[in-house]
Amino acid sequence: MHAKFAGVGHFVPERVVTNHDLASLMDTTDSWIVERTGISERRFVREGQGTSEMGEQAARAAMKMAGVTPSDLDFIIFATLSPDYMFPGCGVLLQNRLGCATIGALDVRTQCTGFIYGLAVADAFIRMGMYKRILLVGAETQSMGLDLTTRGRDIAVIFGDGAGAAVLVPSEDDGPGVMETILHSEGSHAKELWMEVPTCLVPTTRTPELVAEGRHFPQMNGREVFRHATRRFVEAVDEVLERVGKTRDDVDLIVPHQANKRISDAVGERLGIPPARIVQNVQRFGNTTAASIPIALSEALQEGRVQPGHLLVLVAFGSGFTWGASAVRW
Ligand code: UT7
C-alpha cells in the first residue's frame, strides 16, 4: 500500500493586491516586480482571517472532492510558517474548526518544503497501515508579517496568502499514488531566509527592543536563495526520478513550489522540460510558501492538466534550507 490523492482543494482570500498597489506603499514598480519575479498580483487576507481559517476552506474543498466528511478523517498534518499562534499549532485549530473526532494533528515547519515533508509523513503512515484518511494542509498568511515599506521591498513583493489541501488514502502498490519522496536540509544556510523574532533565545520582555530594530520582519539574501534554489530543484527532480526508474522525458507535469517565475523557467530549461509541462501560477498568487504546491496542483486539476496515469513530480526548495521532491502516479 501507498498513499494516493483522493481529493485536492484550495482557497485564496478575496483581496487582490497588484504590483501597482504595492508601488503606492514603497519604492518599487510593476515592471521591476514582473521582470525579476513574474508576479503581477497576490492575495492578502483581511485582518483576523488567518492561516487556520484559510486551511479549513481548502480542507473542505479537498474533502468534497474526496467525498469524505470530517468524521471520516483519522489524522491531520498542517504545514505553515505563519501559524495563527506561536503555540498551539494550526493542526489542532483545524481539528476544532472541522469538528472532527480527537484525531492526531501534526504541525510541519519546513517552510516552502512543508507540503512535500507533510506528504512524505502521510505516505509513510499510510504505508505502515497506521491511518487511512489523512488530511494534509499547506496554508500561509504572509501579508501580516511583511514590511510593506521600501526597507522590506525585496521580500514584500514576492509573498502572498493562501491555502491548499489534500486528502490521502491507501492505494494498491501498483495503483496510482506516491511512488517515492526525497527530503533534504542544509541548516548552515538557515539565516539566508529567516525571521528572527519572536524568539525564545532572549526573554520576551526584550521583544520591543528587537521589534524597534525591525528584526521581526523576514530577512532574505535573495541572490543566494536564487542560486541554491535553481540547483536544488533540478537535483531533487533528478534524484526522485532515478529512485523510481524514470527519466525527465517520462514526466507529464512538474508542480514546483511557486517561488519566482524566473526560478521555474531556469529549472525547466536546465531539465529540458518545456513550459507546457511545468505549472506556473506565481503570476497571480505570488509565493505562498507551504500552500503553493497544493494550490498549483488544485488549479492544474481544475484545468484538466492532470489525467489518470500521468507522472507528476512535486518539488520544493526554501528557507532552512530545505528541499525535496515527490514522484506521484495520478
Ligand atoms: O521560496 C523561496 C523563497 N525565496 C525565493 O525564491 C527568492 C529567490 N530570489 C529572488 O527571487 C530574487 O533574488 C529577488 C526577486 C528577491 C531579487 O531579484 P534580484 O535580481 O536578485 O535583485 P537584487 O536583490 O540583486 O537587487 C537588484 C536591485 C537592488 O538595487 P541596487 O543595489 O542594484 O541599487 C535592490 O535594492 O533591485 C533593488 N530592489 C528593488 N527595486 C525595486 C530590491 N527589491 C526591489 C523592489 N523594487 N521590490
Side-chain angles (χ1 to χ4, degrees):
M1 284 293 185
H2 61 156
K4 76 167 181 185
F5 289 81
V8 182
H10 74 279
F11 172 84
V12 290
E14 262 173 51
R15 184 176 159 210
V16 176
V17 176
T18 65
N19 293 346
H20 297 288
D21 294 331
L22 293 181
S24 69
L25 301 171
M26 63 187 79
D27 182 13
T28 191
T29 59
D30 174 57
S31 57
W32 191 96
I33 303 170
V34 171
E35 202 178 295
R36 306 287 176 131
T37 71
I39 299 165
S40 294
E41 59 187 44
R42 71 288 292 146
R43 304 297 180 99
F44 280 8
V45 289
R46 57 178 159 69
E47 197 171 326
Q49 191 168 19
T51 300
S52 66
E53 182 182 321
M54 288 192 292
E56 179 191 356
Q57 300 283 350
R60 291 197 184 276
M63 286 191 288
K64 190 172 175 198
M65 179 177 163
V68 301
T69 64
S71 58
D72 296 321
L73 298 174
D74 47 23
F75 197 71
I76 294 172
I77 302 175
F78 202 122
T80 186
L81 64 71
S82 49
D84 295 0
Y85 310 113
M86 278 278 277
F87 73 87
C90 282
V92 300
L93 303 180
L94 182 60
Q95 178 274 333
N96 183 48
R97 282 177 173 280
L98 293 174
C100 33
T102 57
I103 56 174
L106 173 73
D107 287 80
V108 173
R109 295 203 41 181
T110 47
Q111 301 70 247
C112 304
T113 319
F115 193 81
I116 302 290
Y117 270 75
L119 184 58
V121 173
D123 184 40
F125 279 162
I126 286 174
R127 283 176 194 256
M128 287 163 70
M130 191 162 165
Y131 297 119
K132 288 196 165 55
R133 275 181 222 89
I134 299 181
L135 174 64
L136 170 61
V137 176
E140 225 61 88
T141 305
Q142 301 285 2
S143 60
M144 291 288 159
L146 297 173
D147 179 359
L148 293 168
T149 69
T150 299
R151 179 177 64 173
R153 65 182 179 175
D154 58 328
I155 292 197
V157 301
I158 297 178
F159 291 104
D161 303 338
V167 175
L168 285 315
V169 300
S171 165
E172 298 294 333
D173 279 343
D174 54 356
V178 178
M179 299 160 80
E180 280 279 352
T181 300
I182 54 120
L183 303 171
H184 291 284
S185 72
E186 194 173 20
S188 58
H189 297 292
K191 295 184 181 178
E192 303 289 9
L193 176 48
W194 72 315
M195 194 175 91
E196 187 183 359
V197 175
T199 171
C200 299
L201 290 177
V202 298
T204 310
T205 47
R206 280 183 50 200
T207 301
E209 283 168 43
L210 303 176
V211 169
E213 292 166 16
R215 287 157 72 176
H216 58 304
F217 289 123
Q219 307 290 327
M220 175 173 74
N221 180 349
R223 285 193 181 178
E224 205 52 16
V225 175
F226 194 102
R227 200 170 63 78
H228 283 267
T230 42
R231 176 177 151 214
R232 298 304 193 186
F233 268 112
V234 172
E235 281 178 8
V237 171
D238 281 340
E239 184 183 342
V240 82
L241 286 175
E242 194 187 336
R243 289 274 193 97
V244 298
K246 300 288 176 191
T247 69
R248 297 170 178 184
D249 290 340
D250 297 320
V251 178
D252 293 292
L253 203 61
I254 304 258
V255 187
H257 161 54
Q258 306 287 306
N260 176 328
K261 184 168 180 298
R262 275 165 60 216
I263 293 179
S264 296
D265 287 346
V267 169
E269 231 165 80
R270 287 190 199 180
L271 288 170
I273 294 183
R277 288 199 274 138
I278 300 178
V279 179
Q280 296 250 33
N281 65 7
V282 74
Q283 302 90 324
R284 287 177 290 114
F285 300 131
N287 179 341
T288 58
T289 25
S292 90
I293 288 180
I295 293 175
L297 180 60
S298 176
E299 283 207 331
L301 275 161
Q302 286 175 354
E303 290 161 10
R305 294 177 73 184
V306 182
Q307 295 298 329
H310 273 178
L311 176 62
L312 272 55
V313 176
L314 317 184
V315 57
F317 173 89
S319 161
F321 291 148
T322 57
W323 65 100
S326 189
V328 178
R329 179 68 70 194
W330 205 261

